[in-house]
C-alpha cells in the first residue's frame, strides 16, 4: 500500500480573471503593402485583417506579459504573492534559457512561484490552461497565472506574400484558481506531426553558426533574412476548417453540452474565413457570440484567445458566467479545445 498522502487540491478549477495588452503602434494594411504585391481588399477578403499591433523596442515579451498579467490579477482580485505557478506560452522569446516565465514571475512579485515556458504555437493557451487546471485540482498551486504572449513581428518576413499580413503582437493572461463547481471542461488536445511542414520556421537558428551565406535565405537587397514563420496556406486552411470543427465538437461532447448551450465561441484568431466556416460546420445558433478580434489584432498565436476573451468581456459582448468554447490550433500541427465559464 502506498504511503503517499492524497493531494489536497480544489474540487474544480476556473478562470478567475483575464487581462490583455496590445502594443501602442497600430499597423494598417497599407504598411504591409509597401513590401508585397497585393491589395487592402485582398487582405481583408482572405483573412479579415484590417489592422494589427506591432511592438516597439520597450514592448518586450516580458514587458507585455507583465502588463497583461497585472490586469488579470486585478480582475481576479488575487495578489501576485499568492500565485503558485506562472506558465508562459510563446514562440518569440529568443533566449533558449532561462525561461521568460521566471523573469515575469519575479517582476510581478510572486513568492518564488514555479515558472516555465511552453512551445505549443497557437494552441499554447489551451495547453497552459489545461496544465493550470491540473495544478489547482492536484493541489500543487492554489492560483496559476497562464500567459500567451508573442512578438510575431520579429518572425515575420515582410516580403512573403502568404504571411506578411497575418501576424501581430500582444499578450493575454488569465488567473486560474479553485472552484466549487466545474468551470473548465475536459480538454481535447493532440498533435499531427506528419503535417509539421505546413507551418514552420524558415531556417533553424543553428544555420547561422555554419557561416555559409548560401545556405540562408536572402531578401530582395541581398541581405540575410532573419528566421521567419512560413506556412502552406491552403493546406492549413483545409485542416483547420475540417479537422478542428471535429475537435470542437468533441470538446462540447466531453463537457456534456450542445451548441445550443453555448453563449460564446472563442476560436484561435487565425483567419476570419476559418472562423466563419467552423461556425457553419458546428451549426452554432445565432445567439452565440463569436470572437472576431483578428480584424484589428491580427494573428497573435498563443495570445489570441485570451486577448479575444478580454475584449469580448470589456465590450459587453460577453459577460461573466457565460459558457464559452475555446479552441486553439497551429504549428506542429497541434490543437487544444475546451469549454469554460467566463470570469
Amino acid at each position: 500500500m502506498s504511503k503517499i498522502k492524497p493531494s489536497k487540491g480544489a474540487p474544480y478549477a476556473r478562470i478567475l480573471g483575464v487581462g490583455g495588452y496590445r502594443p501602442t503602434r497600430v499597423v494598417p494594411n497599407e504598411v504591409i503593402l509597401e513590401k508585397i504585391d497585393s491589395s487592402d481588399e485582398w487582405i481583408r477578403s482572405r483573412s479579415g485583417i484590417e489592422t494589427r499591433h506591432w511592438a516597439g523596442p520597450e514592448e518586450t515579451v516580458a514587458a507585455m506579459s507583465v502588463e497583461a498579467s497585472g490586469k488579470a490579477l486585478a480582475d481576479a482580485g488575487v495578489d501576485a504573492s499568492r500565485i503558485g505557478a506562472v506558465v508562459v506560452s510563446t514562440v518569440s522569446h529568443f533566449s533558449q534559457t532561462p525561461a521568460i516565465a521566471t523573469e515575469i514571475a519575479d517582476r510581478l512579485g510572486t513568492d518564488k512561484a514555479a515558472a516555465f515556458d511552453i512551445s505549443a504555437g497557437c494552441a499554447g493557451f489551451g495547453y497552459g490552461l489545461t496544465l493550470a487546471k491540473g495544478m489547482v485540482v492536484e493541489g500543487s498551486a492554489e492560483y496559476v497565472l497562464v500567459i500567451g504572449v508573442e512578438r510575431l513581428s520579429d518572425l515575420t518576413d515582410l516580403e512573403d506574400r502568404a504571411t506578411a499580413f497575418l501576424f501581430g503582437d500582444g499578450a493575454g493572461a488569465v488567473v486560474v484558481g479553485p472552484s466549487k463547481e466545474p468551470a473548465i471542461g475536459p480538454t481535447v488536445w493532440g498533435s499531427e506531426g506528419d503535417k509539421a511542414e505546413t507551418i514552420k520556421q524558415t531556417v533553424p537558428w543553428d544555420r547561422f553558426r555554419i557561416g555559409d551565406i548560401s545556405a540562408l535565405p536572402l531578401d530582395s537587397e541581398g541581405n540575410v533574412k532573419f528566421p521567419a514563420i512560413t506556412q502552406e496556406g491552403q493546406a492549413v486552411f483545409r485542416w483547420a476548417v475540417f479537422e478542428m470543427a471535429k475537435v470542437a465538437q468533441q470538446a462540447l461532447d466531453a463537457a456534456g453540452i450542445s451548441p445550443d448551450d453555448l453563449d460564446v465561441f472563442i476560436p484561435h484568431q487565425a483567419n476570419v474565413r476559418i472562423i466563419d466556416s467552423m461556425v457553419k460546420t458546428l451549426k452554432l445558433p445565432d445567439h452565440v457570440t463569436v470572437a472576431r478580434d483578428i480584424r484589428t489584432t491580427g494573428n497573435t498565436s498563443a495570445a489570441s484567445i485570451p486577448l479575444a476573451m478580454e475584449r469580448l468581456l470589456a465590450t459587453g459582448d460577453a459577460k461573466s458566467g457565460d459558457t464559452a468554447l475555446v479552441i486553439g490550433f497551429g504549428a506542429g500541427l497541434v490543437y487544444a479545445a475546451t469549454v469554460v465559464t467566463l470570469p
Side-chain angles (χ1 to χ4, degrees), residues 220-335:
S220 57
E221 298 178 354
N223 299 311
V224 174
K225 285 185 178 182
F226 193 73
I229 297 173
T230 184
Q231 69 174 32
E232 298 174 14
Q234 287 302 314
V236 173
F237 181 87
R238 289 192 297 270
W239 175 78
V241 168
F242 295 109
E243 297 303 321
M244 291 305 98
K246 298 176 186 176
V247 171
Q249 183 61 56
Q250 291 169 14
L252 291 174
D253 295 342
I257 66 173
S258 72
D260 289 336
D261 298 316
L262 278 181
D263 300 303
V264 185
F265 179 42
I266 311 178
H268 165 50
Q269 303 295 292
N271 182 303
V272 163
R273 293 169 62 221
I274 292 175
I275 294 171
D276 291 344
S277 294
M278 291 182 70
V279 169
K280 183 177 180 180
T281 302
L282 288 167
K283 298 179 180 179
L284 296 185
D286 291 340
H287 74 260
V288 176
T289 297
V290 179
R292 293 185 175 87
D293 190 46
I294 189 173
R295 296 190 187 280
T296 56
T297 306
N299 179 344
T300 56
S301 189
S304 78
I305 290 175
L307 278 174
M309 182 185 296
E310 185 247 8
R311 174 161 282 173
L312 289 175
L313 289 167
T315 59
D317 292 319
K319 63 183 184 299
S320 175
D322 279 353
T323 299
L325 169 63
V326 299
I327 179 170
F329 45 87
L333 292 168
V334 295
Y335 54 88

Side-chain angles (χ1 to χ4, degrees), residues 94-342:
F94 294 148
S95 293
Q96 194 72 37
T97 192
I100 195 63
T102 58
E103 177 183 340
I104 295 167
D106 179 64
R107 289 175 60 172
L108 287 171
T110 67
D111 184 16
K112 299 180 181 179
F116 58 95
D117 299 348
I118 58 175
S119 177
C122 304
F125 175 75
Y127 276 45
L129 186 64
T130 302
L131 294 173
K133 172 188 174 182
M135 283 184 268
V136 171
V137 172
E138 186 270 339
S140 59
E142 184 179 13
Y143 298 101
V144 180
L145 185 63
V146 180
I147 303 166
V149 57
E150 301 293 2
R151 272 184 56 120
L152 293 182
S153 58
D154 292 335
L155 287 168
T156 300
D157 179 356
L158 294 177
E159 295 182 343
D160 180 2
R161 189 174 184 273
T163 61
F165 59 90
L166 282 176
F167 302 120
D169 302 337
V174 299
V175 176
V176 177
S179 174
K180 294 181 180 179
E181 60 183 14
I184 301 175
T187 299
V188 177
W189 56 353
S191 65
E192 297 186 31
D194 60 315
K195 299 180 180 66
E197 291 295 306
T198 57
I199 306 175
K200 63 180 182 179
Q201 184 173 304
T202 51
V203 293
W205 301 112
D206 63 0
R207 188 73 62 81
F208 287 84
R209 298 178 61 184
I210 299 173
D212 180 7
I213 193 171
S214 65
L216 297 170
L218 306 178
D219 63 20
S220 57
E221 298 178 354
N223 299 311
V224 174
K225 285 185 178 182
F226 193 73
I229 297 173
T230 184
Q231 69 174 32
E232 298 174 14
Q234 287 302 314
V236 173
F237 181 87
R238 289 192 297 270
W239 175 78
V241 168
F242 295 109
E243 297 303 321
M244 291 305 98
K246 298 176 186 176
V247 171
Q249 183 61 56
Q250 291 169 14
L252 291 174
D253 295 342
I257 66 173
S258 72
D260 289 336
D261 298 316
L262 278 181
D263 300 303
V264 185
F265 179 42
I266 311 178
H268 165 50
Q269 303 295 292
N271 182 303
V272 163
R273 293 169 62 221
I274 292 175
I275 294 171
D276 291 344
S277 294
M278 291 182 70
V279 169
K280 183 177 180 180
T281 302
L282 288 167
K283 298 179 180 179
L284 296 185
D286 291 340
H287 74 260
V288 176
T289 297
V290 179
R292 293 185 175 87
D293 190 46
I294 189 173
R295 296 190 187 280
T296 56
T297 306
N299 179 344
T300 56
S301 189
S304 78
I305 290 175
L307 278 174
M309 182 185 296
E310 185 247 8
R311 174 161 282 173
L312 289 175
L313 289 167
T315 59
D317 292 319
K319 63 183 184 299
S320 175
D322 279 353
T323 299
L325 169 63
V326 299
I327 179 170
F329 45 87
L333 292 168
V334 295
Y335 54 88
T338 188
V339 176
V340 303
T341 301
L342 296 182

Side-chain angles (χ1 to χ4, degrees), residues 25-111:
R25 183 187 177 192
V26 177
V27 180
N29 289 336
E30 286 73 19
V31 172
I32 306 300
L33 296 173
E34 294 173 3
K35 295 279 189 177
I36 61 172
D37 179 18
S38 188
S39 68
D40 177 64
E41 180 182 3
W42 187 89
I43 293 174
R44 291 180 187 233
S45 65
R46 301 293 291 183
S47 69
I49 299 173
E50 302 167 9
T51 60
R52 74 283 292 146
H53 295 256
W54 282 356
E58 302 302 317
E59 293 169 313
T60 63
V61 167
M64 292 191 293
S65 297
V66 169
E67 289 290 331
S69 298
K71 294 176 183 178
L73 289 165
D75 190 44
V78 174
D79 189 83
S81 63
R82 301 183 69 187
I83 294 295
V86 177
V87 182
V88 177
S89 180
T90 186
V91 298
S92 46
H93 169 54
F94 294 148
S95 293
Q96 194 72 37
T97 192
I100 195 63
T102 58
E103 177 183 340
I104 295 167
D106 179 64
R107 289 175 60 172
L108 287 171
T110 67
D111 184 16

